[in-house]
Amino acid sequence: MQWKPAATLALVPVAALIAPAVAHAKIYVSVEETQQRLFPGEKLTPNPVALTEAQREKMRDLSSVREPFRGERVWKTAKGDWFIVDEVVGKHEMVKYALAINADGTIKGIEIMEYVESYGYEVGEASWRNQFVGKTSDATLKLNKDIKNISGATLSCKHLTDGVKRLMVMYDLVLKGTK
Amino acid sequence: MSQMKKIACALALAAGVTTANAGEGSFGWIYTLDLQPKGTLEFEQRLQYNRGQAGGKYDFWQGRSELEYGVTENFQLAGYINYSYVNAYRNYPATSEFPNGETGGWGVSYASDSKYSKGRLEGGSIEAIYRITNPVIDPVGVGLYGEVTLGSMKDEVEARLLLQSNFLDDKLVLAANLVGAIEKVKFVQGETGPESMIDLLFGATYRVANNWTAGLEARYHNDFYGYKFQTHTQRAWFFGPNVHYATKDWWVTGAWRWQPTGGKCWAPNDGECSDGRVWDSHTRNEFIVKFGMPF
């Protein structure tokens, strides 16, 4: 192969000039900080769950999320509220989020803990996250049905919505009624 | 230029190396329905290298610098400039006129048995993509693509039907493009030739790890003489792998396509086909590297 620098240089031009100007935000929030956002001032105790294969299959069937759920990332408050950390597939990396469930089974809130993508940071805005508040495991929790999409963030909206559905199925199967 | 030679040159130029990608391109040559979000801009730079024909030496490099803009959630516009470099020497089979092999093919302005090399700023293209359904939320994503190219080597209008389905948390992507194009190929001394093309591109990629996808893609290529697909002149297959790496600030894709035997020409010039492969703008191996940077 004959080396042709003139041709190879085609890769270089504008990209090199604009590279320094490109900088996108990231979201990184620790578990402790997220717990304080959702349950300010409250003490949370680790409450890991061990899921059976049948439970995992039901969660998968009802939510369509295939990524494995890690049962060790479950916490509980003294009042019986739940705090669960989970991850779903993002555009390039995993999106880490937390779901807070009140003792009565209604969603208290969700928080985005890690989001490192080119676009779609609107999923971290309260206006989108607040759509989940008050819903129970009986809710449809489906994008473009009872959860609105965000233009330009469809994949993140879909996967987070499906992720919340999965956790609510898990709540219904495992956590509900747990003392 | 004789009529036969004109036709041969027209065929040589017919296929045109017309590839780019919408949004973030995880395939080498297949368009997906991953469009720029509304109001966002992406810079994309690509370099394709076509290498090896019947014999001798044939290297064709094509560069493209592109800006893509999301006009609405489902409508994207892009514009790019095209440039190329060809280096050829007796890359076609021997003929009575050139018993030691003929120098020809895409980018070579005239037939000879001498070394030929030339760099060109070819021209520019604009393209538009409209996404009718979104594969992230619909079972099958469907989109329409249109492109107009004006250049020193050819003017072209190209249309594509874009199809895409996602599976397994959107980690597995199946995509296909049905491509139709008509081209006015430009020769030396202002002469032109009418061409048309129908291609089917299809492939799959899978997210093997965070930030990484890998897959396979294929091209079933058909060239015709005339603007209305009147005379089938060429048929060929191409297959190869792709790999893609992406972070939030940039992405890069590399792909390779290999032309197996089994291709066929109906051209009146033997140089277009040999050993079951087609030449003109095509080669035994095609490589592409693309780099994208969203704003």
Side-chain angles (χ1 to χ4, degrees):
Chain A
M1 174 176 157
Q2 186 178 355
W3 175 245
K4 289 293 175 189
T8 312
L9 283 173
L11 275 176
V12 175
V14 189
L17 296 174
I18 61 177
V22 178
H24 294 281
K26 298 177 183 176
I27 296 175
Y28 281 118
V29 188
S30 69
V31 171
E32 294 73 20
E33 188 179 346
T34 309
Q35 288 176 339
Q36 285 309 302
R37 284 185 186 181
L38 289 164
F39 296 103
E42 293 194 50
K43 184 183 178 190
L44 287 100
T45 308
N47 197 111
V49 296
L51 300 174
T52 65
E53 187 48 45
Q55 289 168 333
R56 288 186 181 278
E57 190 174 335
K58 188 157 189 183
M59 290 165 64
R60 194 162 50 235
D61 288 347
L62 293 177
S63 70
S64 82
V65 178
R66 304 183 69 87
E67 283 295 306
F69 173 72
R70 291 169 55 183
E72 73 274 18
R73 298 193 291 193
V74 179
W75 287 259
K76 194 176 183 182
T77 69
K79 292 189 292 186
D81 306 320
W82 296 93
F83 175 86
I84 310 166
V85 173
D86 191 20
E87 292 180 42
V88 291
V89 173
K91 173 80 173 171
H92 306 129
E93 313 217 18
M94 301 304 288
V95 178
K96 192 173 182 180
Y97 69 103
L99 177 70
I101 306 172
N102 292 310
D104 65 0
T106 57
I107 293 176
K108 180 180 175 66
I110 71 167
E111 288 284 337
I112 308 302
M113 300 174 64
E114 287 184 18
Y115 192 92
V116 189
E117 304 291 347
S118 307
Y119 304 111
Y121 285 81
E122 297 90 337
V123 295
E125 293 177 2
S127 58
W128 189 77
R129 292 183 290 110
N130 285 345
Q131 295 181 91
F132 294 90
V133 174
K135 294 193 184 301
T136 68
S137 57
D138 292 332
T140 305
L141 288 172
K142 195 81 178 169
L143 192 66
N144 286 339
K145 293 206 166 131
D146 54 345
I147 301 296
K148 290 179 182 170
N149 189 20
I150 300 171
S151 172
T154 301
L155 188 139
S156 298
C157 288
K158 177 196 169 194
H159 289 183
L160 281 165
T161 303
D162 291 346
V164 171
K165 176 69 178 181
R166 166 166 86 161
L167 296 186
M168 292 307 287
V169 171
M170 194 267 286
Y171 168 82
D172 209 35
L173 291 173
V174 181
L175 303 181
K176 190 165 69 176
T178 302
K179 298 296 181 187
Chain B
M1 183 181 282
S2 70
Q3 188 62 29
M4 294 286 276
K5 196 60 83 178
K6 278 186 193 174
I7 293 171
C9 287
L11 294 171
L13 298 170
V17 191
T18 53
T19 52
N21 262 83
E24 182 179 317
S26 55
F27 290 91
W29 288 274
I30 301 172
Y31 278 83
T32 64
L33 290 163
D34 183 6
L35 306 187
Q36 285 301 115
K38 180 182 178 182
T40 66
L41 196 64
E42 180 178 89
F43 170 76
E44 183 175 318
Q45 179 63 49
R46 47 164 285 169
L47 181 63
Q48 179 165 338
Y49 174 44
N50 287 8
R51 176 181 171 83
Q53 293 189 332
K57 184 173 186 58
Y58 182 80
D59 298 319
F60 180 75
W61 297 81
Q62 186 181 53
R64 175 171 286 182
S65 302
E66 176 174 1
L67 281 175
E68 297 178 349
Y69 180 72
V71 180
T72 71
E73 183 184 3
N74 293 308
F75 182 60
Q76 174 182 290
L77 282 175
Y80 35 92
I81 56 171
N82 307 309
Y83 35 94
S84 64
Y85 174 83
V86 64
N87 181 44
Y89 180 56
R90 296 180 179 174
N91 49 302
Y92 272 15
T95 64
S96 55
E97 188 177 359
F98 304 111
N100 295 317
E102 178 181 332
T103 303
W106 173 255
V108 178
S109 296
Y110 49 87
S112 73
D113 58 359
S114 305
K115 289 183 179 177
Y116 182 93
S117 62
K118 187 175 179 66
R120 294 179 176 91
L121 179 61
E122 291 185 16
S125 307
I126 55 170
E127 69 172 38
I129 301 174
Y130 180 67
R131 183 171 56 201
I132 300 167
T133 58
N134 188 334
V136 174
I137 49 178
D138 297 306
V140 179
V142 179
L144 298 174
Y145 168 98
E147 178 194 304
V148 176
T149 295
L150 298 175
S152 59
M153 298 174 72
K154 67 175 180 180
D155 297 333
E156 179 188 46
V157 177
E158 178 182 314
R160 293 185 182 220
L161 174 65
L162 313 181
L163 300 170
Q164 180 182 341
S165 278
N166 296 1
F167 303 91
L168 308 176
D169 292 355
D170 296 295
K171 287 176 150 185
L172 175 64
V173 173
L174 307 183
N177 295 173
L178 180 62
V179 187
I182 55 174
E183 302 171 342
K184 181 169 75 176
V185 178
K186 299 177 180 178
F187 306 112
V188 292
Q189 298 173 335
E191 296 178 81
T192 62
E195 304 298 331
S196 44
M197 178 187 83
I198 294 178
D199 274 16
L200 177 64
L201 312 179
F202 57 95
T205 63
Y206 183 72
R207 178 160 152 172
V208 293
N210 287 343
N211 308 105
W212 289 93
T213 68
L216 296 169
E217 54 191 287
R219 177 189 190 189
Y220 178 53
H221 169 66
N222 291 275
D223 267 342
F224 298 82
Y225 182 75
Y227 289 130
K228 297 179 181 176
F229 311 94
Q230 293 98 320
T231 306
H232 200 180
T233 54
Q234 193 177 85
R235 179 183 69 206
W237 281 92
F238 300 84
F239 301 94
N242 57 54
V243 62
H244 172 72
Y245 177 82
T247 71
K248 72 182 188 66
D249 292 333
W250 58 274
W251 57 265
V252 63
T253 301
W256 163 46
R257 283 195 306 207
W258 167 72
Q259 183 185 173
T261 57
K264 189 174 180 183
C265 287
W266 294 270
N269 186 297
D270 292 337
E272 301 303 322
C273 270
S274 61
D275 303 326
R277 294 185 173 94
V278 303
W279 304 129
D280 57 53
S281 65
H282 310 295
T283 48
R284 292 173 184 270
N285 295 287
E286 300 177 359
F287 306 90
I288 191 167
V289 176
K290 302 187 299 186
F291 172 80
M293 183 178 289
F295 292 90

